[in-house]
Amino acid sequence: MAVTRTFSIIKPDATRRNLTGAVTAKLEEAGLRVVASRRIRMSQAQAEGFYGVHRERPFFADLCAFMVSGPVVVQVLEGENAVQRNRDVMGATNPANADAGTIRKELAESIEANSVHGSDSEENAATEIAYFFKPDEIVG
Ligand code: ADP
Ligand code: MG
Protein backbone atom coordinates (compact mmCIF):
# COMPACT_ATOMS: atom_id res chain seq x y z
CA MET A 1 0.00 0.00 0.00
CA ALA A 2 1.38 3.39 -1.00
CA VAL A 3 2.26 6.13 1.48
CA THR A 4 -0.04 9.06 0.70
CA ARG A 5 -1.22 12.31 2.28
CA THR A 6 -4.51 13.68 3.45
CA PHE A 7 -5.77 16.93 4.94
CA SER A 8 -7.19 17.26 8.45
CA ILE A 9 -8.72 20.03 10.53
CA ILE A 10 -9.10 19.94 14.29
CA LYS A 11 -12.33 21.94 14.59
CA PRO A 12 -13.23 24.74 17.06
CA ASP A 13 -15.21 22.47 19.40
CA ALA A 14 -12.04 20.42 19.97
CA THR A 15 -9.60 23.34 20.35
CA ARG A 16 -12.06 25.01 22.76
CA ARG A 17 -12.00 21.93 24.99
CA ASN A 18 -8.17 21.70 24.79
CA LEU A 19 -8.32 18.44 22.80
CA THR A 20 -5.68 19.22 20.15
CA GLY A 21 -3.32 16.70 21.71
CA ALA A 22 -6.03 14.09 22.31
CA VAL A 23 -7.13 14.25 18.65
CA THR A 24 -3.55 14.17 17.40
CA ALA A 25 -2.79 11.15 19.60
CA LYS A 26 -5.70 9.28 17.99
CA LEU A 27 -4.36 10.14 14.53
CA GLU A 28 -0.87 8.97 15.44
CA GLU A 29 -2.16 5.76 17.05
CA ALA A 30 -3.95 5.07 13.76
CA GLY A 31 -0.62 5.14 11.92
CA LEU A 32 -0.81 8.68 10.59
CA ARG A 33 2.10 11.10 10.87
CA VAL A 34 1.60 14.89 11.17
CA VAL A 35 3.90 16.34 8.48
CA ALA A 36 2.48 19.88 8.64
CA SER A 37 0.44 21.66 11.30
CA ARG A 38 -0.69 25.23 11.91
CA ARG A 39 -3.16 26.75 14.35
CA ILE A 40 -5.21 29.47 12.66
CA ARG A 41 -8.38 31.46 12.98
CA MET A 42 -10.17 30.77 9.70
CA SER A 43 -11.69 33.77 7.94
CA GLN A 44 -15.30 33.71 6.76
CA ALA A 45 -14.06 33.73 3.15
CA GLN A 46 -11.70 30.81 3.80
CA ALA A 47 -14.49 28.78 5.43
CA GLU A 48 -16.94 29.49 2.60
CA GLY A 49 -14.34 28.59 -0.02
CA PHE A 50 -13.22 25.45 1.78
CA TYR A 51 -16.77 24.15 2.18
CA GLY A 52 -17.95 25.45 -1.22
CA VAL A 53 -19.10 21.97 -2.23
CA HIS A 54 -21.74 22.22 0.53
CA ARG A 55 -22.94 25.71 -0.50
CA GLU A 56 -26.48 24.51 -1.30
CA ARG A 57 -26.89 22.40 1.85
CA PRO A 58 -29.20 23.75 4.59
CA PHE A 59 -26.41 23.60 7.17
CA PHE A 60 -23.86 25.60 5.10
CA ALA A 61 -24.23 28.98 6.88
CA ASP A 62 -24.19 27.39 10.33
CA LEU A 63 -21.19 25.26 9.39
CA CYS A 64 -19.18 28.28 8.22
CA ALA A 65 -20.15 30.24 11.35
CA PHE A 66 -19.00 27.30 13.47
CA MET A 67 -15.67 26.98 11.63
CA VAL A 68 -14.80 30.65 12.26
CA SER A 69 -16.04 30.60 15.88
CA GLY A 70 -12.65 29.68 17.32
CA PRO A 71 -9.16 28.47 16.43
CA VAL A 72 -8.67 25.42 14.24
CA VAL A 73 -5.57 23.34 13.59
CA VAL A 74 -4.98 22.57 9.91
CA GLN A 75 -2.78 19.54 9.33
CA VAL A 76 -1.30 17.38 6.61
CA LEU A 77 -1.23 13.70 7.56
CA GLU A 78 0.93 11.06 5.93
CA GLY A 79 0.63 7.29 6.04
CA GLU A 80 -0.31 4.20 4.11
CA ASN A 81 -3.65 4.81 2.43
CA ALA A 82 -3.89 8.06 4.41
CA VAL A 83 -7.29 9.27 3.15
CA GLN A 84 -9.16 6.09 4.11
CA ARG A 85 -7.10 5.53 7.25
CA ASN A 86 -8.04 9.00 8.49
CA ARG A 87 -11.72 8.57 7.59
CA ASP A 88 -11.70 5.30 9.54
CA VAL A 89 -10.25 6.84 12.73
CA MET A 90 -12.52 9.92 12.40
CA GLY A 91 -15.73 7.87 12.42
CA ALA A 92 -19.13 8.74 10.96
CA THR A 93 -20.13 12.39 10.45
CA ASN A 94 -22.78 12.07 13.17
CA PRO A 95 -21.02 10.96 16.37
CA ALA A 96 -24.17 9.08 17.34
CA ASN A 97 -23.49 6.75 14.40
CA ALA A 98 -19.70 6.54 14.82
CA ASP A 99 -17.96 3.31 15.81
CA ALA A 100 -16.46 2.92 19.28
CA GLY A 101 -12.87 4.12 19.50
CA THR A 102 -13.19 6.68 16.72
CA ILE A 103 -12.40 10.35 17.31
CA ARG A 104 -15.99 11.44 16.72
CA LYS A 105 -17.48 8.75 18.98
CA GLU A 106 -15.06 9.51 21.80
CA LEU A 107 -14.74 13.28 21.51
CA ALA A 108 -17.32 14.97 19.24
CA GLU A 109 -20.20 17.06 20.56
CA SER A 110 -22.73 16.89 17.69
CA ILE A 111 -23.17 16.26 13.97
CA GLU A 112 -21.92 19.81 13.32
CA ALA A 113 -19.37 20.18 16.14
CA ASN A 114 -17.78 16.86 15.27
CA SER A 115 -14.16 17.70 16.17
CA VAL A 116 -12.41 16.83 12.90
CA HIS A 117 -12.45 17.28 9.14
CA GLY A 118 -10.81 14.77 6.84
CA SER A 119 -10.52 14.72 3.05
CA ASP A 120 -12.83 12.22 1.35
CA SER A 121 -10.69 11.41 -1.74
CA GLU A 122 -7.10 11.63 -2.97
CA GLU A 123 -8.11 14.38 -5.37
CA ASN A 124 -9.81 16.47 -2.68
CA ALA A 125 -6.87 15.85 -0.33
CA ALA A 126 -4.48 17.46 -2.82
CA THR A 127 -6.82 20.44 -3.33
CA GLU A 128 -7.40 20.92 0.39
CA ILE A 129 -3.70 20.63 1.28
CA ALA A 130 -2.88 23.29 -1.33
CA TYR A 131 -5.64 25.53 0.08
CA PHE A 132 -3.73 25.91 3.37
CA PHE A 133 -0.09 24.87 2.82
CA LYS A 134 2.79 25.71 0.51
CA PRO A 135 4.92 22.71 -0.50
CA ASP A 136 7.88 23.86 1.64
CA GLU A 137 5.66 23.97 4.76
CA ILE A 138 5.18 20.19 4.54
CA VAL A 139 8.09 18.23 5.95
CA GLY A 140 7.72 14.46 5.75
P1 ADP B 1 -17.69 14.73 6.79
O1 ADP B 1 -17.03 15.81 7.62
O2 ADP B 1 -17.90 13.48 7.58
O3 ADP B 1 -16.97 14.47 5.48
P2 ADP B 1 -19.72 16.16 5.25
O4 ADP B 1 -18.64 16.43 4.25
O5 ADP B 1 -20.98 15.54 4.75
O6 ADP B 1 -19.17 15.24 6.44
O7 ADP B 1 -20.12 17.50 5.97
C1 ADP B 1 -19.14 18.48 6.28
C2 ADP B 1 -19.38 18.97 7.69
O8 ADP B 1 -20.65 19.65 7.73
C3 ADP B 1 -19.52 17.88 8.77
O9 ADP B 1 -18.28 17.40 9.24
C4 ADP B 1 -20.29 18.61 9.84
O10 ADP B 1 -19.45 19.50 10.59
C5 ADP B 1 -21.26 19.45 8.99
N1 ADP B 1 -22.54 18.74 8.77
C6 ADP B 1 -22.75 17.69 7.94
N2 ADP B 1 -24.04 17.30 7.98
C7 ADP B 1 -24.66 18.15 8.83
C8 ADP B 1 -26.01 18.29 9.31
N3 ADP B 1 -26.98 17.46 8.89
N4 ADP B 1 -26.28 19.27 10.20
C9 ADP B 1 -25.30 20.12 10.63
N5 ADP B 1 -24.01 20.04 10.22
C10 ADP B 1 -23.69 19.07 9.34
MG1 MG C 1 -16.71 15.79 3.90
Side-chain angles (χ1 to χ4, degrees), residues 45-74:
Q46 269 178 318
E48 289 178 3
F50 183 77
Y51 279 119
V53 63
H54 295 311
R55 198 168 289 278
E56 305 304 325
R57 309 275 287 273
F59 56 81
F60 177 72
D62 277 355
L63 174 60
C64 292
F66 166 60
M67 292 301 288
V68 306
S69 70
V72 302
V73 181
V74 291

Side-chain angles (χ1 to χ4, degrees), residues 9-62:
I9 304 176
I10 303 176
K11 294 185 178 181
D13 67 286
T15 61
R16 178 170 46 78
R17 289 175 291 145
N18 204 21
L19 295 175
T20 297
V23 171
T24 303
K26 285 279 204 188
L27 299 172
E28 291 178 345
E29 282 162 18
L32 293 160
R33 179 177 294 268
V34 179
V35 295
S37 184
R38 190 166 69 244
R39 184 176 171 107
I40 61 168
R41 187 72 178 248
M42 226 186 251
S43 69
Q44 183 71 24
Q46 269 178 318
E48 289 178 3
F50 183 77
Y51 279 119
V53 63
H54 295 311
R55 198 168 289 278
E56 305 304 325
R57 309 275 287 273
F59 56 81
F60 177 72
D62 277 355

Side-chain angles (χ1 to χ4, degrees), residues 11 50-51 53-54 57 87 90 93 104 117-120 124 128:
K11 294 185 178 181
F50 183 77
Y51 279 119
V53 63
H54 295 311
R57 309 275 287 273
R87 294 295 306 194
M90 288 165 60
T93 307
R104 285 168 166 171
H117 166 85
S119 309
D120 61 7
N124 286 340
E128 292 174 2

